[in-house]
Amino acid sequence: MRRDLQNDPDPIDRTRFPVDEWAWRETWYSADDLGLTETAFAVGNGYLGMRGNVEEGRDVHSHGTYVNGFHETWQIRHAEEAFGFAQTGQTIVNVPDVKTIKVYVDDEPLMLSMAELLEYERTLDFRDGMLRRGLVWRTPSGNRVRIDSTRMVSFEQRHLAVMTFEVTLLDRDAPVAISSQVLNRQDGTDDYHVSSPQSGAFDPRRASRLSERVLDPQSHWCSDRRTVLSYRCVDSGMTLAVAVDHEIETDNEFEELNHAEEDLGKKIYRVRGEVGQTIRITKVAAYHTSRGVPTRELVDRARRTLDRVRDVGVAATHEEQRRWLDRFWADSDVEVEGHPAVQQAVRWNLFQLAQASGRIEQVGIPAKGVSGSGYEGHYFWDSETYVLPFLSYTSPWIARGALRFRYLMLPAARRRAAELSNTGALYPWRTINGEEASAYYAAGTAQYHINADIAFALCKYVQASGDDEFMLREGIDILVETARMWTDLGFWLGRDEARRFHLHGVTGPDEYTTVVNNNLFTNVMASDNLRQAARWAERVRDEHPEAWDRIVARLDLGEGEVEEWAACAAGMYVPYDEDLRVHPQDQHFLEREVWDLTATPDEKRPLLLHYHPLVIYRFQVLKQADVVAALFLQGQMFSQEEKRNDFEYYDPLTTGDSTLSSVVQSIIAAEVGHRKLALGYFHSGLYVDLADLHGNASDGVHVASTGGVWNALVYGFGGMRDHNGTLTFDPRLPEEWPSLRFRIAVRGSRLLVELARDRIAFTLRSGDAVEVVVRGERVEVGADEPTVMALTGQGPVIEETLGRRPRVGVTGDHEMVFTAGVPDPERERRRRGSRRQTSPTS
């Protein structure tokens, strides 16, 4: 369990990464944590992403340039086959890299790990999306050289990246060579074909490596100004073109060399460098991809992108970027007064959400965005649950695109449901192209809750945005087909009042407990899915009869289906233990032995890297807060007493091995009154990547966790809830924070919410009046002046500290069996040997 940030809320080395509320800055270079800094300084726009690799190309953890959804497929080879196992793997492709710009002075190359750096600073600016680096290098011959560079992936033009590179000699004249490259790497190898260091240790969270050639060259050419390469993925058939323009500005004499071959394009400048005469290179790149359009057409598209930049100038692209981000921050910023370090980390997390989703445009949001290859670039349920609420309340058009992507996946989801002998649709646990890509069904395909998570995100978006038109045209298809799956999967058990609808053989979000009966998270989310499907069907039938006729015809709706969904929702079985007064995670969860996390050494964490799944499955131990997530997402189904009892039972059982745990634990801890825990868990979520708390930030940003940070701020400390279509507030401002400010969009209107210890204020920034409820009192927020509501306190306060073992209710009748860690063969042998030595018969 990760509680290490309760007493030390800032785990960052501030001598190297100083506090700056609007930027992430590095003041000295280190090669010891390249994976972390490559992720932290990545730039992207949701479509195109570039890791924060150094321009010089050497000293690297993993090279990476990624295009969202651009992937290769491969045949999954199961050691033992069975019907319905996933057949096709999908892996995001590391596309040709344009970041490399090598510099030589007196024929000596700059290599940061070996260089004498007199000055160094690198900054990712959240206001303009620019990555800037400035350094002064003393060459082996003693010549000081100033090098400044910028890198930007455009939010306004989704296919575009712009880089600049400046070299200035400070002491004496010298020959300068600059080699700017377009390099087709595979699996992160460098131009010497050396694999990145990440390839060694076992970690299922990392991307698999493709041993065969991935990108088949289709064309390559260069001119004085432009270089173009194009490729086709060998198996998936996806196509890509990358084109690069160069421009040099200098008063020095120079010559240019151009070269292009299948996997390499080079622009080389040989300059007679003079002291004080800056050499400025501008490099503009365009990436275009397709599921099958011929590369010659993509080349034409890339050329048009570069031609536009040539016509308007690079400065105009920088201005566009600033305007886009000005709008983003005006709609999305969250302000924490009096805590600049927290503010900086909050804005880094929010900026990552922009970089992961800003220009997705009807594709999904990968688990790592476009910042790394972790989880192979797959889309998971995490996005719908943790990222879509942020987008729905700040950037609804982007949320709509992500949901439309799920609509476009419906045919594949229908096929997957049929493979598993279900009607309706079954969305995959992990995918890029819509097909299930998880070879381990127990913790993958069995996570049927993905259906309900997508339906949840859909209904939240429509509720927040008022976009009924999207629901009527396409969203309703998702609700109908997912509801059909639940009614087919479940069954009725019992008689009369005790008759309940059960779901067996499923896995919840907690991957340490698999293939169970009546997983609580799955059941309550499925209940909501069924209820929403019935509610929307009835509404369309009553209010839009023509649309209803089309839906009936399109989806072949049968007589009584809608009523069946409503009945299954109302009759859903929700497990509850009367003795412990807690909700079991699943029907038999409480019958298992309890894993004592206090006896588990840190070097055995996370558990999935050190114990066979069957070992973990036998215990009460959680990878992530499964029941607690249900308490948050479907909070209207639970009383405050139930929420507190459940939180206090499951908190000591939760390892925090998932980055999704801390944020939802923070929300429920705040709601029930565990204030210190709430803030501690918030800090753990806030610094997941910046402090590399889980040891795998090198694989890319944990995008769902960044969305969880927003959820913890707005739903947790801001106390916002949106159950049943009503926007309510019951704040839980941390005692250490003077105030909290955030912005939300509600059905076309935009509100500023300002929370202080004794009041909450709402200001209508644009649109029509909005009705909200503050601690049971209904108020209308209009355009005239801020609506201010007085607050008495910030909710309940629980002073007592939670122990490290589950609380077992008030009766004391429920027997709990604890184990010290897990059986250790070496320890058991030592114990048996000790017994033999002390035995009376010895």
Side-chain angles (χ1 to χ4, degrees):
M1 187 162 40
R2 300 178 183 274
R3 294 182 178 174
D4 44 344
L5 297 187
Q6 289 186 65
N7 298 318
D8 180 18
D10 188 356
I12 305 299
D13 177 359
R14 292 303 179 181
T15 65
R16 182 180 174 197
F17 301 103
V19 173
D20 183 332
E21 293 188 2
W22 281 104
W24 188 248
R25 290 199 298 129
E26 178 185 41
T27 58
W28 48 271
Y29 173 81
S30 173
D32 295 336
D33 57 358
L34 287 173
L36 170 60
T37 55
E38 287 167 9
T39 293
F41 287 100
V43 292
N45 63 9
Y47 170 76
L48 173 65
M50 296 178 167
R51 285 178 63 76
N53 306 118
V54 297
E55 283 81 351
E56 293 72 32
R58 296 307 302 274
D59 297 328
V60 65
H61 178 272
S62 59
H63 291 285
T65 299
Y66 305 99
V67 173
N68 187 355
F70 187 76
H71 68 281
E72 180 63 307
T73 56
W74 44 278
Q75 186 70 25
I76 298 176
R77 301 189 182 279
H78 300 277
E80 297 182 21
E81 282 280 0
F83 179 81
F85 277 15
Q87 297 298 312
T88 305
Q90 304 142 46
T91 299
I92 194 169
V93 173
N94 203 338
V95 300
D97 187 10
V98 301
K99 298 190 298 293
T100 299
I101 305 175
K102 299 183 178 182
V103 61
Y104 305 81
V105 177
D106 278 328
D107 291 330
E108 295 290 340
L110 172 60
M111 188 172 177
L112 295 192
S113 61
M114 305 292 293
E116 182 181 1
L117 299 179
L118 305 181
E119 298 177 20
Y120 176 90
E121 182 169 287
R122 178 164 54 161
T123 302
L124 179 61
D125 193 316
F126 310 146
R127 291 166 296 192
D128 61 13
M130 297 280 285
L131 177 64
R132 297 178 174 86
R133 191 191 68 176
L135 59 87
V136 175
W137 166 41
R138 183 148 55 200
T139 69
S141 64
N143 200 353
R144 290 178 303 135
V145 183
R146 176 86 199 178
I147 298 177
D148 295 287
S149 64
T150 69
R151 183 184 302 165
M152 180 193 85
V153 173
S154 173
F155 283 106
E156 192 65 37
Q157 302 188 52
R158 74 192 294 249
H159 302 279
L160 182 69
V162 179
M163 291 145 281
T164 64
F165 195 81
E166 296 182 354
V167 180
T168 307
L169 302 177
L170 301 182
D171 291 326
R172 59 180 181 272
D173 298 350
V176 177
I178 299 173
S179 176
S180 179
Q181 303 180 4
V182 184
L183 180 60
N184 178 32
R185 299 183 171 97
Q186 178 161 319
D187 283 337
T189 57
D190 65 16
D191 40 340
Y192 297 90
H193 301 286
V194 175
S195 296
S196 67
Q198 71 173 355
S199 59
F202 161 76
D203 190 336
R205 299 167 295 186
R206 288 182 177 151
S208 59
R209 294 188 171 275
L210 300 172
S211 58
E212 305 298 326
R213 173 118 197 169
V214 175
L215 294 177
D216 185 21
Q218 301 294 295
S219 65
H220 61 275
W221 60 268
C222 63
S223 64
D224 289 344
R225 181 186 182 97
R226 185 165 294 175
T227 303
V228 178
L229 305 177
S230 70
Y231 301 87
R232 180 183 181 276
C233 284
V234 173
D235 289 320
S236 72
M238 296 195 74
T239 50
L240 172 143
V242 55
V244 178
D245 275 358
H246 285 91
E247 184 178 352
I248 184 171
E249 300 171 68
T250 184
D251 291 332
N252 298 296
E253 293 185 19
F254 66 91
E255 62 175 329
E256 305 176 52
L257 299 174
N258 306 291
H259 173 75
E261 56 187 75
E262 287 186 341
D263 292 318
L264 176 66
K266 279 188 179 181
K267 180 76 170 183
I268 300 173
Y269 295 99
R270 295 175 178 172
V271 184
R272 296 181 181 179
E274 299 180 8
V275 172
Q277 298 294 328
T278 297
I279 307 160
R280 178 183 172 89
I281 308 296
T282 300
K283 185 176 186 178
V284 183
Y287 287 84
H288 283 264
T289 59
S290 169
R291 291 191 176 272
V293 168
T295 56
R296 61 181 178 273
E297 180 176 335
L298 297 184
V299 168
D300 288 342
R301 295 178 188 178
R303 294 171 70 177
R304 288 196 294 270
T305 300
L306 295 184
D307 289 346
R308 283 197 302 272
V309 177
R310 181 190 59 196
D311 292 342
V312 302
V314 166
T317 67
H318 292 162
E319 293 168 4
E320 290 174 346
Q321 182 88 336
R322 182 60 186 253
R323 287 195 297 270
W324 195 99
L325 282 166
D326 284 346
R327 293 192 300 269
F328 171 79
W329 290 114
D331 295 337
S332 309
D333 195 17
V334 180
E335 299 167 83
V336 178
E337 182 187 357
H339 293 271
V342 170
Q343 183 67 75
Q344 177 189 38
V346 165
R347 287 197 174 119
W348 184 89
N349 278 270
L350 296 179
F351 184 66
Q352 298 311 312
L353 288 166
Q355 294 203 130
S357 67
R359 296 303 302 271
I360 53 170
E361 295 177 14
Q362 299 182 33
V363 296
I365 302 171
K368 298 292 185 179
V370 281
S371 66
S373 61
Y375 294 112
E376 305 190 80
H378 289 171
Y379 314 124
F380 291 80
W381 67 281
D382 314 358
S383 295
E384 275 76 25
T385 309
Y386 293 91
V387 178
L388 264 293
F390 163 77
L391 295 174
S392 295
Y393 279 109
T394 60
S395 305
W397 183 255
I398 299 176
R400 189 184 197 274
L403 288 164
R404 188 157 197 278
F405 167 72
R406 289 295 194 179
Y407 167 76
L408 296 173
M409 288 174 57
L410 257 180
R414 290 183 178 114
R415 291 194 298 271
R416 186 58 175 161
E419 276 188 319
L420 272 72
S421 303
N422 290 131
T423 58
L426 178 60
Y427 281 97
W429 181 56
R430 59 188 301 171
T431 191
I432 298 178
N433 62 13
E435 305 293 338
E436 177 65 79
S438 173
Y440 186 54
Y441 72 88
T445 298
Q447 293 200 39
Y448 283 73
H449 67 85
I450 281 81
N451 266 22
D453 304 332
I454 293 169
F456 169 82
L458 167 64
C459 294
K460 185 178 290 289
Y461 160 72
V462 173
Q463 173 186 309
S465 66
D467 188 0
D468 290 359
E469 182 263 345
F470 176 69
M471 180 66 85
L472 291 175
R473 284 200 309 108
E474 296 177 342
I476 192 70
D477 293 34
I478 295 175
L479 288 183
V480 168
E481 296 289 37
T482 52
R484 281 173 164 166
M485 193 284 299
W486 292 120
T487 58
D488 184 57
L489 178 69
F491 65 97
W492 290 94
L493 187 63
R495 295 176 181 275
D496 303 325
E497 290 83 5
R499 191 168 182 258
R500 291 291 180 267
F501 191 72
H502 293 246
L503 300 172
H504 284 191
V506 301
T507 297
D510 171 35
E511 295 157 36
Y512 286 176
T513 314
T514 67
V515 193
V516 298
N517 295 343
N518 293 308
N519 168 258
L520 180 124
F521 180 94
T522 303
N523 284 25
V524 299
M525 292 296 287
S527 175
D528 183 65
N529 188 168
L530 289 159
R531 182 169 49 251
Q532 294 284 8
R535 184 177 74 86
W536 272 100
E538 291 167 356
R539 179 177 170 185
V540 176
R541 185 170 55 194
D542 295 342
E543 300 176 12
H544 305 278
E546 291 184 5
W548 175 249
D549 290 341
R550 290 193 295 269
I551 291 168
V552 169
R554 183 172 71 245
L555 300 177
D556 192 24
L557 269 176
E559 188 74 26
E561 274 198 86
V562 174
E563 290 71 23
E564 183 184 13
W565 303 336
C568 292
M572 185 68 69
Y573 174 65
V574 178
Y576 184 74
D577 187 283
E578 295 288 350
D579 291 331
L580 293 182
R581 298 187 183 179
V582 298
H583 291 90
Q585 180 168 292
D586 60 75
Q587 192 167 337
H588 301 290
F589 184 81
L590 299 179
E591 299 168 12
R592 298 184 180 97
E593 193 174 359
V594 177
W595 189 309
D596 188 352
L597 290 172
T598 62
T600 306
D602 289 341
E603 59 269 21
K604 292 291 189 178
R605 311 277 285 273
L607 303 186
L608 81 164
L609 299 187
H610 301 280
Y611 300 101
H612 191 283
L614 285 177
V615 175
I616 299 173
Y617 296 165
R618 296 184 183 114
F619 291 86
Q620 291 188 47
V621 64
L622 312 183
K623 182 184 179 188
Q624 57 184 292
D626 198 319
V627 170
V628 175
L631 301 179
F632 164 49
L633 298 177
Q634 299 297 334
Q636 76 280 7
M637 297 180 64
F638 305 92
S639 70
Q640 285 300 105
E641 181 184 7
E642 288 173 336
K643 290 178 183 179
R644 176 177 175 178
N645 288 347
D646 287 345
F647 177 83
E648 292 179 350
Y649 185 85
Y650 288 103
D651 189 69
L653 300 178
T654 305
T655 62
D657 290 349
S658 167
T659 58
L660 300 181
S661 265
S662 56
V663 287
V664 75
Q665 287 170 286
S666 174
I667 293 169
I668 297 301
E671 182 176 354
V672 302
H674 284 289
R675 294 190 175 189
K676 291 182 179 179
L677 270 182
L679 194 56
Y681 279 131
F682 171 73
H683 288 142
S684 295
L686 185 66
Y687 292 108
V688 157
D689 290 313
L690 290 175
D692 198 13
L693 297 182
H694 286 246
N696 64 344
S698 58
D699 300 329
V701 173
H702 292 84
V703 174
S705 180
T706 65
V709 167
W710 183 88
N711 280 267
L713 288 163
V714 173
Y715 287 108
F717 301 136
M720 187 176 89
R721 295 293 185 273
D722 46 15
H723 304 310
N724 301 318
T726 302
L727 203 60
T728 67
F729 292 86
D730 187 4
R732 299 290 190 269
L733 185 67
E735 189 174 356
E736 297 85 346
W737 294 5
S739 70
L740 174 69
R741 290 159 51 99
F742 55 91
R743 291 109 174 119
I744 56 173
V746 184
R747 294 182 289 280
S749 299
R750 292 195 175 270
L751 297 180
L752 171 65
V753 183
E754 300 174 275
L755 174 62
R757 304 217 60 79
D758 60 349
R759 66 188 182 279
I760 185 169
F762 303 91
T763 302
L764 184 65
R765 297 171 52 223
S766 65
D768 298 329
V770 175
E771 188 175 81
V772 300
V773 177
V774 178
R775 292 184 177 171
E777 185 175 348
R778 193 173 298 271
V779 296
E780 184 176 89
V781 181
D784 296 336
E785 58 185 18
T787 300
V788 181
M789 302 289 292
L791 298 176
T792 303
Q794 294 290 324
V797 180
I798 301 173
E799 298 291 354
E800 56 185 313
T801 303
L802 277 183
R804 306 296 284 184
R805 291 186 173 187
R807 297 188 176 188
V808 293
V810 297
T811 65
D813 296 333
H814 208 90
E815 182 180 2
M816 304 297 294
V817 179
F818 285 86
T819 257
V822 296
D824 180 338
E826 290 299 323
R827 188 185 65 209
E828 290 298 309
R829 278 193 287 272
R830 290 194 300 270
R831 183 178 58 81
R832 289 196 298 270
S834 175
R835 282 181 175 178
R836 282 195 296 271
Q837 293 173 13
T838 59
S839 170
T841 59
S842 297

